Structure formats: C-alpha cells, structure tokens
Amino acid sequence: MLNKSVRKDSVCRVCRGVNLDTVLKLADTPLEDAYLRVDKFNTEQPTFPLELAKCSNCGYVFLPYVVYPEISYSNYVYKSSITVGLGEHYKDYVKSLILEYSIPANELAVDIGSNDGLMLRAFKAGELEPIGVEPAPAIANHSNSQGFLTINSYFDFKVKNQIEQNYGRARLITANYMFANVDDLSDFLNNVKGLLNSEGLFVVQTGYHPDQFRGMMFDYIYHEHFSYFTLNVLIKLFDLADLQIINAHKVSPKGGSLRVVAQIKGGKYPVSYNVDKICQEENNEDKDFFKNFDLKINLSRDRIISLLTEIKSSNKSIVGFGASHSTTTLLYHFKLAPYLDYLVDDNIAKHGTFSPGVHIPVYPFEKIYESPPDYILILAWQHAESIKSRHTDYLSNGGAWIVPLPDLQVIKTK
C-alpha cells in the first residue's frame, strides 16, 4: 500500500499513452534532501519507490511514483549559489541570449524556480528587469531580502496573471534545473506561453540524462526530478503547447545539461541546425541502454562494497564527503551507510543535521582534522576535483580519497 504522500502514475505526461515500461529500479529512499536538525531527529521519514519508466509511444522517461511537490518543497534548503561556477555560467548564459536574440535593455525577464536569485543577478547584470518565482518560502524570502523581487509560489495561472497585470508580458522566461521537477507539464507550458510577449523566448536548462547516465550519474535520479528529458521528447511536449524549439545546446553544468530555446509557434526566429543534429544523435542511441546501465551500476556497487568491507576489516575509519540529494540516492542504492562514521560537507546549511532516513551526522570539513579518518569516500563524486583541490591538506597529512564513480579510484600520497 502506497504512502498517502505518493501516487502511482500509469499515464504518460507527454502523449497520454499507457504503454509504460519500467527501465530502471533503484532502492527505495526517503526524500533525498530532507536532512534533519537535532530537534527533528525522531521525525518519521518513510521511503518511497525510486524507479524510471519509459513511454513506448513517445520515449518519455519519468518517475512513475510521484511524491507530491508540496511535501518535497515544504522544508527545501538547497541554494543554487553554493554550486561551484554556476553564477558565472548564468552570467555567460544571459549574455549569450541577449546577443544572439538582440534583447534590448529593461525588458522583463522572469526566472521560474529562481531559488536564491542567482539567475536574477545575471538578468540584472544584463540590464534586464528581473522577477523570480520560487515555491520554497525560506529561499524566496532570502532572495527578496537581497533586493530581487521574488514571488513565493509555484508558477501557475494565478501567478502568470499577477505578473502580466502588474508588470506586463515577458521578453524572456527561464526555467533552470527545475523543469524536470514540474508535475503538470501541460499546464506549466500553457502558462509560460500566456506570459510571453510576441517576441518572447522561453529557455529551459535541465539535466540531460543521456550524457549524465553515460557518465554513471544514476544518483541524479531522485524524487524531486519527475522527468528525464531528451530533445526529441521536449519537441513533442512543447509542440502540444504551441511552442516551437528553435535552438538547443549541450552545456557542461551538473555533469551534462541541455539548454533549449523556444518561441511561440509562428515567431520570427528560424530553427537552428543544432536541433536536428542533437535529435539525430538521440535516435542513434543503443536500444539496450538502460539494461546495460543497470548492469554497470550493479558492478560499480559490488566493487565499492568489496573495497569498503576490506578497509573496515582492517579497523580503518571512513567518512563520507557530501550531503545532498544525490548523496541520499547513492547511500541507499549502494547500501553505504554502515561503513561511514559521519559525513562532512562545505554547505553550512547542512552542518549539524542528520542525513535522511539513516541519520548519519553531518559536520563541517574541519572536523576531519580533529581526528583524521583513514579514508574519505567522496559521495559528491561529480565534484571530486573541486573537493580535492579545496582540501589538499587532508591528503598531504596522510589521508586517502576514495572516488566511487564513474570508475573506482583510491588516491593516496603515502
């Protein structure tokens, strides 16, 4: 019997098809970013099924088990500004849009899922007039306190009308790393279309699962990410809302992302050759991709567990580095919790908390110098190079890093 916070979808969000195949099953997990403060330590944290389904009709890949967004976002604490290099990336991103599409100064630019205002800062730097929409109350309040107008709400018809009536229609609307988190995609896109002016552009930047999964990033599957898009699927989806994708680029953040630019059908911009190029690449994908991906995940799990078991049998200590959504997916699917004494992270919002479900304590990195562990397992392995470069003293003092993926590595100096 399903928990009342979750539902099982049996219809494709994109084409409404009912022929759905389960292509990947991971371990059940609690909400992946629900790190608890000590006063909430005894809070029940149920686990929910975590798996991917694929529509055999249109190719859409998604979570069939959906935790309702109002549950996921009630205590959301992630701030985009902590992601290394993302602020500069957003500034370059906005600058390129302004230049390529000749967007004049002072035009209205709306960022949906604006988080702590990182994209709004980029809009301001580009001399646009920024407005954010952010459902997490604490994060929206923080953005407003920084001087960036942020509406604390989901982007719905009411918010669309509020912006349109008070500020006019937008020349630019962006949705960065949140479009995969949208439950009702059709309603969302119809509201976007209704807020665009006649020359308006809608830009989505989202994790690109063909590239991420090729890089073994299965831990970017978690309950807030309902959808795992390809460009071919996005084209079908946008078409249903009378939106036309006119450009697409693969970009580097988050282990592989896709940025698409769309206009209202009949708009003045031509379609770039990039669109067909990426679609053709997707059409050439291995039909057994997910079957092979599952095998690789299991092989990686067996290798890391074998190594950790050997280390612990020698009475050596292991600490985990990372306290994020992906950490939880990795901890649960690889069953890593019994091997870790505690977690460390550079994000101060996670210090003094306990990890979802298994309740491993999270400390600042400085704790490792109080009683240095023999090994640090980099759970946030996608950022391994950045982590190692920021914490060189640990290695030079005799410590050892373990990087679990994409290929298992142990890094020592002695």
Side-chain angles (χ1 to χ4, degrees):
M1 183 175 177
L2 287 179
N3 183 287
K4 63 182 179 181
S5 300
V6 66
R7 71 168 194 264
K8 173 73 182 295
D9 284 352
S10 56
V11 176
C12 173
R13 280 190 186 85
V14 176
C15 72
R16 312 307 297 169
V18 295
N19 294 320
L20 311 176
D21 299 313
T22 299
V23 292
L24 187 68
K25 281 191 176 184
L26 302 179
D28 293 5
T29 70
L31 288 178
E32 290 82 357
D33 204 38
Y35 288 77
L36 297 178
R37 293 285 171 190
V38 67
D39 60 323
K40 301 288 187 181
F41 186 84
N42 292 321
T43 302
E44 182 184 1
Q45 291 187 289
T47 61
F48 307 104
L50 187 62
E51 60 185 61
L52 293 182
K54 184 175 183 179
C55 175
S56 61
N57 182 48
C58 72
Y60 172 55
V61 176
F62 64 101
L63 300 185
Y65 292 94
V66 177
V67 180
Y68 292 107
E70 54 268 28
I71 307 295
S72 302
Y73 285 94
S74 59
N75 294 294
Y76 194 71
V77 297
Y78 168 76
K79 291 184 178 178
S80 54
S81 56
I82 69 168
T83 301
V84 177
L86 196 58
E88 286 304 310
H89 173 79
Y90 281 171
K91 286 181 182 177
D92 291 341
Y93 164 178
V94 171
K95 189 183 298 183
S96 70
L97 289 172
I98 290 170
L99 290 173
E100 185 169 0
Y101 298 101
S102 303
I103 301 174
N106 302 315
E107 290 276 16
L108 179 62
V110 177
D111 187 38
I112 305 172
S114 55
N115 200 267
D116 61 352
L118 201 60
M119 190 66 168
L120 303 181
R121 288 180 177 85
F123 286 160
K124 198 70 175 176
E127 300 183 343
L128 301 175
E129 291 299 320
I131 295 178
V133 181
E134 170 55 48
I139 296 175
N141 290 340
H142 173 79
S143 183
N144 277 307
S145 73
Q146 300 299 304
F148 294 102
L149 175 60
T150 304
I151 299 168
N152 178 212
S153 177
Y154 291 99
F155 181 71
D156 56 18
F157 185 71
K158 181 180 176 182
V159 169
K160 188 273 291 186
N161 283 347
Q162 178 184 344
I163 295 172
E164 184 178 5
Q165 289 166 12
N166 293 330
Y167 306 98
R169 293 193 172 189
R171 179 64 185 272
L172 179 63
I173 301 175
T174 55
N176 298 312
Y177 301 108
M178 61 76 59
F179 194 60
N181 305 27
V182 174
D183 194 8
D184 190 335
L185 292 165
S186 176
D187 185 64
F188 183 92
L189 288 173
N190 284 326
N191 288 324
V192 165
K193 181 192 171 192
L195 188 56
L196 289 172
N197 68 24
S198 60
E199 296 182 297
L201 298 171
F202 176 46
V203 187
V204 170
Q205 186 160 304
T206 188
Y208 187 52
H209 85 259
D211 285 351
Q212 290 179 334
F213 292 172
R214 271 193 292 270
M216 291 299 293
M217 291 173 62
F218 78 90
D219 46 350
Y220 269 41
I221 301 169
Y222 45 83
H223 288 103
E224 285 167 16
H225 282 176
F226 304 143
S227 301
Y228 299 79
F229 293 113
T230 62
L231 181 55
N232 277 290
V233 168
L234 286 171
I235 289 170
K236 294 169 187 173
L237 178 63
F238 280 45
D239 182 67
L240 293 170
D242 286 328
L243 292 167
Q244 178 187 33
I245 290 177
I246 56 173
N247 210 343
H249 296 281
K250 294 182 185 181
V251 291
S252 61
K254 299 182 183 286
S257 299
L258 184 70
R259 182 188 302 161
V260 300
V261 182
Q263 64 183 357
I264 296 172
K265 280 184 183 176
K268 68 178 185 178
Y269 299 106
V271 178
S272 167
Y273 77 96
N274 290 336
V275 175
D276 184 62
K277 178 175 179 289
I278 295 174
C279 285
Q280 288 301 321
E281 290 173 1
E282 292 175 357
N283 293 337
N284 293 329
E285 282 287 348
D286 181 3
K287 303 304 180 186
D288 292 324
F289 177 85
F290 281 102
K291 179 180 178 181
N292 293 330
F293 186 39
D294 189 35
L295 292 172
K296 290 176 183 177
I297 292 169
N298 293 336
L299 181 60
S300 295
R301 179 183 59 201
D302 294 345
R303 286 171 176 164
I304 186 64
I305 290 300
S306 176
L307 173 64
L308 298 184
T309 301
E310 180 183 345
I311 291 171
K312 295 302 277 188
S313 68
S314 301
N315 293 317
K316 302 290 187 180
S317 55
I318 309 172
V319 165
F321 191 114
S324 66
H325 297 79
S326 60
T327 297
T328 304
T329 300
L330 184 59
L331 279 172
Y332 269 78
H333 193 63
F334 276 15
K335 298 180 172 59
L336 300 176
Y339 299 93
L340 303 178
D341 298 340
Y342 57 88
L343 303 178
V344 294
D345 199 272
D346 289 332
N347 180 3
I348 61 173
K350 297 296 176 63
H351 298 164
T353 66
F354 297 85
S355 68
V358 289
H359 294 176
I360 306 172
V362 183
Y363 298 99
F365 188 83
E366 287 71 23
K367 181 174 174 61
I368 66 105
Y369 294 112
E370 297 172 10
S371 179
D374 298 297
Y375 294 84
I376 295 180
L377 173 63
I378 303 181
L379 301 167
W381 59 271
Q382 300 90 347
H383 307 289
E385 292 307 314
S386 173
I387 290 168
K388 290 186 293 179
S389 68
R390 294 199 307 274
H391 302 293
T392 55
D393 287 350
Y394 168 70
L395 193 64
S396 60
N397 289 338
W401 298 108
I402 302 172
V403 183
L405 296 164
D407 300 300
L408 180 61
Q409 300 177 64
V410 179
I411 301 164
K412 300 180 179 180
T413 57
K414 297 180 182 179

